[in-house]
Amino acid sequence: MAKVIFTIICFMLSSAAQASSIFKCIKDDKIVFSQHSCPKEFRQHKIEYQYGITTETDSDARIKTQDPLQALLNKKTISKARLLQLLDSEVYRLNQENSYYEILRASELQKLERNRYWQKKQPSDPEYQASVKELTQHFDQLVKVNTSAIELLKIRKLQIEKETTEIR
């Protein structure tokens, strides 16, 4: 039992930014944890984490969760203010992801440098240079995709703000 609670707490701490509740789906002796409501053939316990306290409630009532992407695509289901908030949060997330990519890039370059050093190769070694170039291109591509998505989201945000001011 302690293992299960420890696993739940670790899972919740690692995904604290994603969700404050998860579902424990139980069928016979099988237990599965999910961020979405359990299938009908499973019993459901809702586990909530807030302010360092974990609570588990037995709730077989299914909760309908709306996919945020669907909410963004179907803007009639949410208010303009909420849509702007979701756009801002997605831009923030993509910027954070770009920062994370830069950290990963630096780490991977250090790893390549250490391998080069221990293999007693020169920095001008063609194999080392090709690895650095490949790594740099990979992370540049990831950042480029996020940057273009950020630009599109910012353009969409400006359009929505313009629509909102025209209505008033």
Side-chain angles (χ1 to χ4, degrees), residues 44-158:
Q44 174 175 294
H45 289 223
K46 185 175 182 180
I47 302 171
E48 295 178 305
Y49 178 79
Q50 189 173 24
Y51 304 121
I53 299 172
T54 305
T55 56
E56 181 176 338
T57 54
D58 183 10
S59 68
D60 283 328
R62 304 292 174 235
I63 298 173
K64 277 192 161 184
T65 56
Q66 184 180 16
D67 182 23
L69 183 58
Q70 288 296 328
L72 280 174
L73 293 174
N74 187 5
K75 67 179 183 178
K76 295 177 184 173
T77 61
I78 56 177
S79 69
K80 297 239 187 234
R82 177 73 177 137
L83 182 59
L84 290 172
Q85 181 185 12
L86 288 171
L87 288 171
D88 283 338
S89 65
E90 183 64 12
V91 167
Y92 178 78
R93 187 193 68 77
L94 289 171
N95 282 325
Q96 290 295 101
E97 195 171 277
N98 280 347
S99 298
Y100 179 67
Y101 287 152
E102 293 305 322
I103 293 168
L104 284 176
R105 179 196 313 246
S107 174
E108 292 297 318
L109 286 172
Q110 283 179 346
K111 194 185 301 181
L112 283 176
E113 179 63 23
R114 280 193 301 272
N115 285 340
R116 182 202 59 80
Y117 176 80
W118 289 110
Q119 292 173 359
K120 299 186 186 323
K121 294 181 181 178
Q122 295 298 318
S124 60
D125 181 62
E127 185 180 327
Y128 171 72
Q129 291 294 324
S131 297
V132 169
K133 183 178 179 183
E134 180 183 339
L135 183 76
T136 304
Q137 286 176 343
H138 172 71
F139 282 104
D140 285 344
Q141 181 63 29
L142 292 173
V143 169
K144 182 180 174 186
V145 166
N146 279 354
T147 305
S148 64
I150 289 169
E151 291 304 315
L152 289 172
L153 289 170
K154 285 181 178 180
I155 289 170
R156 182 65 182 138
K157 181 182 174 192
L158 289 174

